Amino acid sequence: MAIMTRFTQEDLDEVFPYPVLREVAFEIRFSPRLRVDAELWRLQDQLADEYPSVGTESAATPAGSLLAINVFKNNLSGRIIKVSHENFVVAFTQYSRFEDFKTEVLAKASAFCSTFGVSALNRVGLRYVNDIVLPTEPDGNSLLRFVRPLMDFQRLPIDSVEQFVNEVHLRHSDHRVTLRGVLLSPMDDSRRVYVLDIDCHSPTSQPASALAGVLDKFHDSAQKFFLDHITEQLKQVMRGKS
């Protein structure tokens, strides 16, 4: 599938001072390396100064079992690293420029792979989750003023829609993209939130040495799908002009 909208280099280079991004996360998955659990202290020694908060959480696997996840955080900078014996994640909840995120991902993921002998990656993914807050309007038109959702509102009048979820899995270039658009129920102050979730990932194994190129490619795809999904009015909001 090709993105129909064409973007100039100026479009792609723009950095919005007020982004709607809730979280960006880059994940690598690999064949289980049990030494990760046994030698987790090595990773903590590398991260202690930058990620001082340490904890654990559980995540469900596709097989239905629970996977223990070790979590390292820097609450002030909004940066998180999650690691198990089969995956490694770098996430930002405070995001300004892709270049800053890329630098952190490559530094931490490369050090992890080197420390624990991970040379082949079963899956690589880059995910952007955006929360677009919609002003309260009786006819629901604030949604269409800010985003272009993957739904035909000629057949389904927007003012009758209380909430919806749509999800599309598609091929794009040599990788896969999952697009999720979710209109949430009204908040206490009657405003609505539209969640735009863009997940770019590779269906084939990748060498750990290819991370930089894969990250650039996925970011380029995610950025174009995001820009294709929003309107000029939302750009004005993210520029602080509306």
Side-chain angles (χ1 to χ4, degrees), residues 1-2 10 17 23 37 42 46 56 68 71 75 87 99 111 114 117 129 158 176 184-185 205 241:
M1 172 182 172
E10 183 179 5
E23 181 180 81
D37 294 331
R42 296 182 184 275
Q46 296 172 8
T56 60
V71 182
N75 293 317
N87 77 325
E99 288 74 18
S114 176
V129 182
I158 184 62
R176 302 291 187 270
L184 302 179
S185 298
S205 178
K241 297 181 179 179

Side-chain angles (χ1 to χ4, degrees), residues 30 46 91 172 180 207 228 236:
F30 42 86
Q46 296 172 8
H172 180 68
R180 300 179 185 91
D228 186 63
Q236 290 293 89

Side-chain angles (χ1 to χ4, degrees), residues 71-212:
V71 182
F72 302 87
K73 291 184 179 180
N74 185 320
N75 293 317
L76 292 177
S77 65
R79 298 185 177 189
I80 306 166
I81 287 179
K82 299 182 179 183
V83 60
S84 75
H85 62 262
E86 58 186 57
N87 77 325
F88 180 87
V89 177
V90 178
F92 280 21
T93 57
Q94 297 178 30
Y95 179 95
S96 56
R97 302 186 314 147
F98 169 68
E99 288 74 18
D100 297 334
F101 179 69
K102 177 182 176 180
T103 296
E104 186 69 354
V105 165
L106 294 182
K108 299 304 188 287
S110 297
F112 173 82
C113 291
S114 176
T115 299
F116 295 102
V118 176
S119 58
L121 308 175
N122 298 336
R123 186 186 189 276
V124 180
L126 176 63
R127 184 178 183 182
Y128 287 88
V129 182
N130 304 275
D131 285 349
I132 302 170
V133 179
L134 308 172
T136 302
E137 292 184 6
D139 58 4
N141 280 336
S142 62
L143 172 68
L144 301 184
R145 288 197 296 108
F146 287 117
V147 299
R148 303 194 301 149
L150 302 175
M151 185 175 289
D152 182 3
F153 289 107
Q154 297 297 317
R155 298 179 58 223
L156 196 65
I158 184 62
D159 58 357
S160 69
V161 177
E162 296 184 349
Q163 63 184 80
F164 65 79
V165 178
N166 52 29
E167 179 173 301
V168 179
H169 300 260
L170 52 93
R171 297 183 302 276
H172 180 68
S173 184
D174 61 351
H175 54 280
R176 302 291 187 270
V177 178
T178 300
L179 294 177
R180 300 179 185 91
V182 183
L183 180 64
L184 302 179
S185 298
M187 296 185 288
D188 291 341
D189 60 3
S190 298
R191 291 182 301 164
R192 311 290 293 272
V193 174
Y194 179 79
V195 180
L196 175 57
D197 184 336
I198 305 170
D199 185 1
C200 302
H201 52 93
S202 172
T204 58
S205 178
Q206 303 278 339
S209 59
L211 278 182

